[in-house]
Amino acid sequence: MARELTPFDITLLRKLAPECEDLICNGTRTEFRSILPPLANHYSTDEQDFVNRLSRLTDDEFTYLVGEIRNGHESVGCISPLYFSTLLDLVTERLSKRVSQELVSIYENDEGCG
């Protein structure tokens, strides 16, 4: 589910993608409504870069971002399966396998980009 990014969300996005100058998607010309899709689709050069960027988050910031996925505020449907798989590996490593499995269910039920 897309949302309006909070100031904290914008801070996280800019921490993850310092090259983010504005919050507009070049493809749709609309404002970013999530953190992970622009990170994966616009700023990360590959899966390893995606993980490296996510690794910049503190434990509290990472837990917040995963919480936003879990409560339906952070969209994951626009992320390719390869990128999502690397996110799951990081969630397993930093949080737990149980949370990772929960995210798989969320990903599978996400309606995608829309």
Side-chain angles (χ1 to χ4, degrees), residues 37-107:
L39 181 66
N41 301 327
H42 297 284
Y43 299 110
S44 297
T45 57
D46 57 28
E47 294 89 3
Q48 187 59 52
D49 184 43
F50 182 65
V51 168
N52 291 343
R53 289 170 183 268
L54 287 171
S55 295
R56 296 176 188 167
L57 297 177
T58 67
D59 288 343
D60 288 342
E61 291 166 339
F62 189 73
T63 299
Y64 167 81
L65 187 59
V66 170
E68 291 297 283
I69 297 169
R70 294 169 86 187
N71 69 25
H73 293 161
E74 179 66 25
S75 177
V76 292
C78 290
I79 301 172
S80 79
L82 291 174
Y83 280 71
F84 191 73
S85 176
T86 61
L87 172 64
L88 292 177
D89 291 343
L90 195 58
V91 168
T92 298
E93 177 185 316
R94 291 184 70 174
L95 299 176
S96 73
K97 181 68 174 170
R98 183 189 58 75
V99 173
S100 181
Q101 291 169 335
E102 183 181 344
L103 296 188
V104 169
S105 176
I106 291 168
Y107 186 74

Side-chain angles (χ1 to χ4, degrees), residues 16-28:
L16 297 169
E19 65 273 36
C20 177
E21 294 180 10
D22 59 27
L23 301 173
I24 304 294
C25 174
N26 289 335
T28 62

